[in-house]
Amino acid sequence: MTRRLSPAERLASAEKDLLLEDIADQSSWDRFLVEQAVFHYGTRHDEWSANDLRDVLPELAHGFLGAVINSLRSAGVIEHTGRVVPSTLGSTHGHRLALWRLSVKGLLIAEQRRNRAQQRPAA
């Protein structure tokens, strides 16, 4: 027999579903900005965290940065270094953040993007 949810539990679940819907509905432009920041840091630094990316990105929807990082990890573009650092975002109270690096696949994608950019005629 399954337990019935209280009204508060149902409301919390509905709010969580709405937040996930909002994250999924973010524009491709926001995703592009996060991906560009990942490739920028990945080609210039051995490892980086969401702390580093937040410093160069405009304010995004709550949770969107993490969603893109998770997507890039799932796609094999970035990989976890096995290390963590405390978050510098005050509202997280020092929550631990993963340190990331570009995978071999990510480095190849970054190189292809760089070559395409260099081949474009100057505007």
Side-chain angles (χ1 to χ4, degrees), residues 2-108:
T2 59
R3 181 177 80 81
R4 293 182 60 151
L5 297 177
S6 72
E9 290 169 324
R10 284 194 304 274
L11 180 60
S13 179
E15 286 177 1
K16 181 186 83 172
D17 290 343
L18 288 175
L19 177 60
L20 291 174
E21 221 174 273
D22 287 344
I23 291 169
D25 287 344
Q26 289 300 308
S27 74
S28 58
W29 181 248
D30 287 342
R31 180 178 175 84
F32 175 77
L33 288 175
V34 174
E35 288 175 355
Q36 288 301 102
V38 165
F39 286 118
H40 171 81
Y41 265 86
T43 57
R44 289 164 179 79
H45 304 279
D46 291 335
E47 57 187 26
W48 47 268
S49 73
N51 290 333
D52 300 308
L53 299 181
R54 275 196 311 268
D55 291 342
V56 298
L57 291 170
E59 186 151 341
L60 300 170
H62 174 76
F64 190 63
L65 178 57
V68 173
I69 288 174
N70 191 46
S71 173
L72 292 171
R73 180 200 50 80
S74 296
V77 174
I78 62 175
E79 57 192 19
H80 193 286
T81 65
R83 296 173 6 110
V84 295
V85 295
S87 173
T88 57
L89 189 62
S91 63
T92 64
H93 306 289
H95 180 78
R96 296 165 60 139
L97 298 176
L99 284 175
W100 301 97
R101 65 177 159 238
L102 286 179
S103 65
V104 171
K105 179 180 179 180
L107 289 168
L108 290 172

